Amino acid sequence: MSEITNIELNAEEPENIALAPQTAYPNVTSVVKLFFVYLVFLIIVAIIAGIIFMNTPQEFPAVKSIFKVLMNAAPILMAIQYTLKRSEKQQGYPSTINYNKIKGWLIPVLIIAAAAFSIVLERISVLLPMPLKIREIFERMFTRDIFSFMSVVIIAPIIEEILCRGIILKGLLKNYSPNKAIFISAILFSALHLNPWQAIPAFFGGLFLGWIYNKTQSVIPGMIFHAAINTTGFAFLFLGNSKQDLPDIFGKMYYPVLLMSALVFTVSCIFINKKVKVAVTNQSLTTNLQSLI
């Protein structure tokens, strides 16, 4: 037992880890099912939102903005509740979310990495340009007010990280190898955006978010990185019609800036990888304990 005495358990998990289930929630089948359940939740919320908006007087725009925030968050919140119930049914206890503390130096590194990664993602998104009509729809959905900012920059990163990394990836890491688990969670994260123009960048972002979660076993780094990414995306969306794209903004300096951004992001990943060791999960500890019994 001396080999594992320094390993700390998450206090929220069941005390008797020897009785932990052989298969944690979710597996691939559960992830696919979750996606379609999310679509049902989205349709329900859309119908309710449509009824509310049609009956809200035009002279109360703030009320509509608040409802937009709630309606944008509702499908994800419903999906979180669904996954918690499913995990409790399968495991005998609901999944818990890891909010493990992180080192202070990691926060600025994540913000810098996110700023650099946003420029790289913008280049990736050029592979499938968003039609002007679709862009106009997005601009109408997210108006230039504090409520849209809260929805995109604060609420979405928190609840999406709780669902996609805090619950889904945490369970997948107990059933599959880290690479496979991160890949599956990135696909789900991409699919939840429901459009190819956001899905492609979201997939690559999901890979990094899954990697940093696996390194830290905490949703906090992902929330910080996710919020920083969404902040830059929110800013790009409202830069003005004449300068919607980064090549227009940077001009001849675009490719040097792109190259520097890729370099900064790569160095950030290397730095994080060296400074942060992969945390030992409860599943691996359970396996070690069972092998010693």
Side-chain angles (χ1 to χ4, degrees), residues 267-286:
V267 171
S268 300
C269 291
I270 294 172
F271 182 74
I272 293 172
N273 190 55
K274 288 186 176 181
K275 294 281 287 184
V276 181
K277 302 299 180 183
V278 177
V280 177
T281 64
N282 288 348
Q283 179 69 10
S284 61
L285 178 56
T286 302

Side-chain angles (χ1 to χ4, degrees), residues 78-94:
M78 294 166 72
I80 291 173
Q81 183 64 22
Y82 168 81
T83 55
L84 291 176
K85 288 184 177 181
R86 292 300 302 174
S87 64
E88 183 175 15
K89 182 177 180 181
Q90 181 169 322
Q91 302 171 162
Y93 61 92

Side-chain angles (χ1 to χ4, degrees), residues 2 22 24 37 57 78 147 153 166 210 227 230 243 256 280 291:
S2 60
Q22 295 296 319
V37 170
M78 294 166 72
F147 301 106
V153 177
N230 283 13
K243 290 186 178 294
V280 177
S291 66

Side-chain angles (χ1 to χ4, degrees), residues 25-47:
Y25 178 89
N27 55 24
V28 173
T29 303
S30 302
V31 170
V32 174
K33 184 176 180 180
L34 171 62
F35 173 72
F36 288 104
V37 170
Y38 173 77
L39 291 181
V40 174
F41 291 155
L42 196 65
I43 293 171
I44 294 173
V45 170
I47 293 173

Side-chain angles (χ1 to χ4, degrees), residues 143-162:
T143 54
R144 295 174 174 87
D145 57 33
I146 187 62
F147 301 106
S148 291
F149 180 84
M150 289 176 56
S151 178
V152 173
V153 177
I154 300 175
I155 298 175
I158 293 175
I159 61 178
E160 288 177 9
E161 289 308 305
I162 288 175

